[in-house]
Amino acid sequence: MNFGPVTLFLIAVTVLVSWQAFEKPKLLGRLILWPPAIDRHKQYDRLIAHGFIHADWQHLIFNMITLFFFGAGIERAFAPYIGPVGFLLFYVSAILVAILPTYLRHRHDPNYRSLGASGAVSAVLFASILINPWQLLLVLFIPMPAIVFGVCYIGYSIWMDKRGGDNINHSAHLWGAGYGMLFTVIMEPRIIGVFLERLMSPSF
């Protein structure tokens, strides 16, 4: 089984940086997305760096397990078009694109902070759903077709983004998911036809 070297590299870096940030609060404070630091001190690196740190081990493990199971497949699918470096840039750009709407919304809010790879992981996950909509996912140990999970995930994220109050950046999940699908379509426009054909022919 090809686990995908870039995927493994991203997981290793994220786990290492997150672990160090758990141990060193100053490092966490320097890397977390905090709008005033970007707006006043021009620390634009936070727009990317926040995607490599996490709130706790549960947050980190959930994101990295998802990336592990879907990243390698997308890395292989993208390889003929953009190669391994292109996949790396796709992932990093997904961190940025997913967080930009949130950053602009909270640009002048000194109380707002955000961290985690969820936006980029959503981009990878939804690129995978676009390519293979009927692949079976284990959601709380229950098998579920990817397309069904995707629809439920989008609906839940929209609802929770409007509701708020749970300290999870659902907006980043939505923008990441949209970016993953849009990037895939721009890279290979024929994927739309393939997606519709596969969607009409369920297979498990």
Side-chain angles (χ1 to χ4, degrees):
M1 180 178 180
N2 181 1
F3 292 112
V6 177
T7 299
L8 292 179
F9 171 76
L10 287 167
I11 291 172
V13 170
T14 305
V15 169
L16 178 61
V17 176
S18 293
W19 170 53
Q20 288 299 302
F22 293 154
E23 301 292 324
K24 302 172 183 177
K26 286 186 178 180
L27 178 62
L28 179 69
R30 177 57 185 83
L31 300 181
I32 198 169
L33 180 79
W34 185 48
I38 299 171
D39 193 37
R40 301 172 192 168
H41 306 296
K42 313 304 179 186
Q43 294 176 351
Y44 297 110
D45 59 290
R46 291 176 183 262
L47 291 168
I48 300 295
H50 79 278
F52 291 92
I53 57 174
H54 289 77
D56 51 40
W57 283 107
Q58 181 180 353
H59 186 205
L60 171 64
I61 291 171
F62 178 81
N63 274 334
M64 293 304 99
I65 287 177
T66 306
L67 180 58
F68 176 79
F69 282 112
F70 295 97
I74 294 303
E75 185 177 341
R76 289 195 300 271
F78 284 12
Y81 301 93
I82 57 178
V85 174
F87 175 71
L88 177 63
L89 293 176
F90 160 71
Y91 183 88
V92 173
S93 64
I95 296 175
L96 176 62
V97 171
I99 202 62
L100 272 179
T102 300
Y103 164 66
L104 293 174
R105 190 193 317 172
H106 295 277
R107 186 174 179 180
H108 303 295
D109 183 359
N111 297 315
Y112 185 82
R113 288 168 176 78
S114 185
L115 76 173
S118 300
V121 171
S122 290
V124 171
L125 174 60
F126 275 80
S128 181
I129 292 174
L130 187 63
I131 292 172
N132 188 3
W134 293 109
Q135 62 185 311
L136 286 179
L137 310 182
L138 284 179
V139 182
L140 299 176
F141 303 103
I142 301 173
M144 180 182 295
I147 187 65
V148 175
F149 171 79
V151 170
C152 293
Y153 183 88
I154 292 296
Y156 174 76
S157 295
I158 291 173
W159 177 58
M160 289 303 296
D161 186 49
K162 292 181 178 179
R163 180 184 178 187
D166 63 352
N167 294 321
I168 297 175
N169 190 352
H170 296 282
S171 172
H173 297 175
L174 290 168
W175 284 94
Y179 178 70
M181 292 187 290
L182 180 62
F183 186 98
T184 306
V185 169
I186 292 174
M187 182 184 68
E188 176 49 272
R190 290 176 296 180
I191 194 62
I192 297 177
V194 173
F195 170 76
L196 292 175
E197 182 180 339
R198 290 178 175 173
L199 192 63
M200 299 303 294
S201 303
S203 60
F204 304 100

